[in-house]
Every structure is written in C-alpha cells, then in structure tokens.
Amino acid sequence: SAPRPSPASPPDQANTMATALLLKPSLACCHLQARPRQSRTSSISSLFSQKCSLRHQPPAVLPARAQRPCPVVAAYGGGDDGAGEGGDRRQRGGRDGDRRKQPSDGFSERVVQVRRVTKVVKGGKLLSFRAVVIVGNKNGKVGVGCASAKEIAVAVQRAAKLAKRESVDFPLSKAFSLPHRIDGYWGAAKVMLRPAAEGAGVIAGGSVRIVLELAGVRNCFGKQLGTNNPLNNARAAIEGLRALRTFQMVAKERGIPVQELMGMDRKTEPSAAIAGAMAEVV
C-alpha cells in the first residue's frame, strides 16, 4: 500500500490556499462572503459615538508663530475677514472709489465733433476716430483740443487732455461780457465777437457758442464769417479771446499809469525826456 501523506505545515497550507484562489476565483467570493457581517444597529451606534466624540473635542490651538498676522496684510490694515482700513473694498473705494474722490479741476468738457478717419497704408486701410473737444472753467479760461485714436473714448480723453494743456486766459467785464470788440482768424475761418449788454445772452452758433459758454461769457454776439469747419471756428474764437486786453493790462505793458493812458491826467508836467525833445524841436 502507498504511504499516507503527512499533514501539510502552515506555510504549505497558505500556499495551497493562494493556489486554489488563483485557479478558482469563485472561492474568493465565497471566502469574502463567509465573513461575519456587522449588524446595522451596531454600525449606526458606532458612527454616532464617533461624531459625538469629535464634537466635544477642544478646538485645536495653533502655535504662537502661526497666529501672527501676515506683515503685508497688517501693513494695509486688513485682516482675515477683509476688514480694517484696507481690507474692505467698499470702505477704501476700490478701483472706482479713488476716481470719485479725486478733486475736480473745475473744467467742463463738451465734444464738438467725432469723425472717422481712414489712413491708406501698404497693407490696407487703418481706421481711427478723431474727436474735437472744448474745455473751460466758465471763469475766463477755455481751450480746444483735437486727437485721434482707434476708440472713440480714448480719442475724447486725449483731446480733453490736450485742450486743458493749451487753454488760454482772457479778461471778463463786470457784465460777464467782452471788454471790447475783436475778430479772430484761423486758416479760412473768421469769427466776429462783439460785447453785449447785460441780459442779452450769448447770440452765436456752432462751435463759437460752445467756446463762449464754457469760457464763462454770458452776454456776447458772435458770428462765423468764413468756413463752417467747427475746429477752425473754435480755434479762431479762442485766438480772438486771447487778444482781448483791458486798460490795466495795456498800461502795465507800457509802463504808464491808467490815468495817463486814458488822457485823464493832463495837469501833470511832462517828463524830462519829453521836455528836452520839445526844446530841441523849438
């Protein structure tokens, strides 16, 4: 008779089980299903106990170094919640808040003309927009600017900046009118400006009226006698306002008193130079 095989050792049993699982995967499913399942009641109770234990745990205390605020945040006055001097965007103004708080320079802007300009180049045509803007502080200061850009808003902004840079000052009378009559010229444009009595208003048209209103003139007559180009007429009006003079300004330029300029001080003796010239003539 054949000898009976000896019982397998524990390592041999493990190898035999692994080989059986590889050859028959169904044994693995049976092996997994053979585990004892935990009852539903016990699993719910264990989860509830874990949740209660986590809820009653004391909060974790961060080390002292981790509780220090960020130096950049502290410099701007903000905290973790965004509060403070620089934390809240609504409090510090944000992007639009700084613009609203900027002091106004007192100039009023008005767009006179926006035209589309096309430049022919080697590769085709370049489209841009030209804007004519008149600015004034309504107190004897006015200017006109012309600029072009690919966008209308940018062109208007550039023209306004140029107009403020090239603005002129002129004197106003007590009735907010002109000191005297004047004519302005620019290219083919000729503008006639005449003073008016109080209550007459600004009687003018086109860009000349805009120039007078933004300059602070309330009583004046204006007439365009040349071309109808609004840019040239506006510049002609500004050239006329630039040439305005008062008695005080002329007397200061000549270096004589106002009374002598107006011929009101005839009792005074002539100067030594005039007396010498008269003696030589005699």
Side-chain angles (χ1 to χ4, degrees):
S1 62
R4 299 177 61 182
S6 59
S9 59
D12 295 339
Q13 291 180 0
N15 294 335
T16 304
M17 181 62 69
T19 305
L21 292 175
L22 291 174
L23 294 177
K24 295 183 178 181
S26 60
L27 294 177
C29 299
C30 297
H31 179 70
L32 293 175
Q33 292 177 1
R35 291 185 185 179
R37 293 186 178 181
Q38 191 177 6
S39 63
R40 184 177 181 85
T41 307
S42 61
S43 62
I44 293 175
S45 60
S46 61
L47 291 174
F48 183 75
S49 60
Q50 292 178 4
K51 188 174 181 180
C52 293
S53 61
L54 292 175
R55 180 180 299 176
H56 293 288
Q57 284 183 357
V61 180
L62 298 176
R65 187 171 183 179
Q67 291 181 353
R68 295 177 184 175
C70 178
V72 178
V73 177
Y76 285 93
D80 296 337
D81 55 350
E85 289 184 18
D88 193 358
R89 193 181 195 88
R90 293 173 295 181
Q91 292 182 4
R92 69 174 185 267
R95 296 179 181 175
D96 297 332
D98 296 339
R99 295 181 193 169
R100 296 170 187 170
K101 293 180 181 179
Q102 286 181 356
S104 177
D105 50 4
F107 281 94
S108 300
E109 303 177 5
R110 194 174 301 182
V111 180
V112 176
Q113 186 185 49
V114 176
R115 297 185 64 181
R116 186 176 62 181
V117 181
T118 304
K119 181 181 179 181
V120 180
V121 295
K122 182 178 179 181
K125 296 182 180 180
L126 295 180
L127 179 64
S128 60
F129 296 93
R130 190 192 73 169
V132 179
V133 180
I134 299 176
V135 300
N137 63 350
K138 297 183 179 181
N139 193 20
K141 192 169 186 177
V142 67
V144 60
C146 178
S148 60
K150 294 183 179 180
E151 297 181 2
I152 298 178
V154 180
V156 171
Q157 184 178 3
R158 292 179 182 176
K161 186 177 180 181
L162 185 62
K164 293 177 183 178
R165 187 189 308 169
E166 298 182 356
S167 58
V168 299
D169 297 324
F170 67 96
L172 285 172
S173 64
K174 294 182 179 179
F176 293 96
S177 183
L178 306 181
H180 55 85
R181 55 191 301 171
I182 193 71
D183 294 337
Y185 299 88
W186 184 274
K190 178 182 178 182
V191 176
M192 179 186 67
L193 300 175
R194 300 292 183 265
E198 188 174 359
V202 178
I203 302 176
S207 58
V208 178
R209 182 183 184 89
I210 300 176
V211 170
L212 295 175
E213 288 180 351
L214 293 181
V217 180
R218 300 180 187 177
N219 306 288
C220 180
F221 298 103
K223 180 66 177 178
Q224 301 177 4
L225 301 177
T227 178
N228 293 326
N229 191 327
L231 177 58
N232 288 346
N233 281 306
R235 286 178 173 173
I238 289 179
E239 289 299 321
L241 296 176
R242 191 201 301 267
L244 291 175
R245 294 290 184 272
T246 59
F247 288 108
Q248 290 78 8
M249 296 172 64
V250 176
K252 186 177 180 180
E253 291 177 359
R254 296 185 182 183
I256 59 177
V258 180
Q259 292 80 3
E260 184 178 351
L261 177 66
M262 299 179 66
M264 298 174 60
D265 194 10
R266 297 182 179 179
K267 297 181 180 180
T268 58
E269 296 182 358
S271 61
I274 298 177
M278 292 175 63
E280 290 179 1
V281 171
V282 173

